[in-house]
Amino acid sequence: MDRWQSMRIFAEVARHSSFAEAARRLHMSAPAVTRAVATLEEHIGTRLLVRSTRLVKLTEAGARYYADCQRILAEIAEAEAMAAGSYATPSGTLTVTAPAMFGRMYVLPILTEYLDRYPQVTGRTLFVDRPVNLIEEGVDLAVRIGHLADSSMIATRVGSARMVVVASPQYLREHGMPTGPADLTRFRIAASTAAWASPEWQFAEDLKVRVEPSLLCNTNDAAINAALAGWGLTRVLDYQVGAALGDGRLQIVLEDHEPPPFPIHVVHPEGLHAPAKVRAFIDLAVAKLRSSRLRPDGGPANAPD
């Protein structure tokens, strides 16, 4: 039990890069946390953390040990949960991550319905436009858009999303319609610096066009609002502008030159057995997302009803 507790304390310090934060989360004193890690290092015979007045970092050995601790602690939690029956009944905290707009539009309604069904579960969202390491950041599962590089994850495909260039009908009436990707240099562009941001826009058959945006926005919402206002063109994933496409406020251009759609998956770390809280959410999310207009065959996708 002492070894398990020491590993748990060390993992908490490593996760937050802070002895003080680990102590707060574990409801322990900071000196007790420091002593526990020091005792663990002495027992192992190597330094696990590099400490300074402003920084706590894992050593190379510490990074390897932290990964092992994560696995061992997860297996202990699984065994305890199975013995307590939580593998049959969803309970505990469920943490879900997704891209920011997709999370708000699609994942949050699924999560709130899930929490209504299973009141013993507390939900936590991490909707961000950056890669999230599920193991290191303590996330149970993710919805990911794009081709998956991590083969250690269990993935279920639920749909796809198209990368589209859009503008308002008013802007196109005033400035004309681009007939090919090379025409983009003649048009005013609002681009997002969030996910998918790149100075090169890729089209079908690996054609790449370097664009020079007149407006750089730090969110997709802002770039979309500029397009809605008739200011210029922008490029987003089709689900992000589904409602505006449906009611005619925006129009897709260069549709014949679109790159292949991006797959959308629900993914979770490989483990011995997923607990009930994860299995139940995956079942609900897969059913809901597949029945939405996120077409698995790469067809048009609009905002959810």
Side-chain angles (χ1 to χ4, degrees), residues 161-196:
R162 296 161 52 200
M163 184 68 76
V164 295
V165 181
V166 298
S168 71
Q170 172 193 343
Y171 180 84
L172 295 174
R173 283 194 300 269
E174 294 176 357
H175 300 274
M177 180 81 68
T179 59
D183 289 346
L184 289 172
T185 57
R186 299 191 294 104
F187 291 85
R188 196 158 60 178
I189 290 174
S192 168
T193 58
W196 315 102

Side-chain angles (χ1 to χ4, degrees), residues 184-249:
L184 289 172
T185 57
R186 299 191 294 104
F187 291 85
R188 196 158 60 178
I189 290 174
S192 168
T193 58
W196 315 102
S198 170
E200 287 188 333
W201 287 8
Q202 185 167 345
F203 293 90
E205 299 178 353
D206 292 327
L207 174 64
K208 295 180 181 179
V209 175
R210 189 174 184 86
V211 297
E212 296 185 3
S214 301
L215 174 63
L216 284 170
C217 304
N218 70 320
T219 66
N220 291 313
D221 296 288
I224 292 167
N225 284 338
L228 285 168
W231 191 87
L233 300 168
T234 193
R235 186 183 72 151
V236 291
L237 291 169
D238 59 343
Y239 76 83
Q240 297 172 335
V241 289
L245 293 173
D247 61 22
R249 288 177 293 149

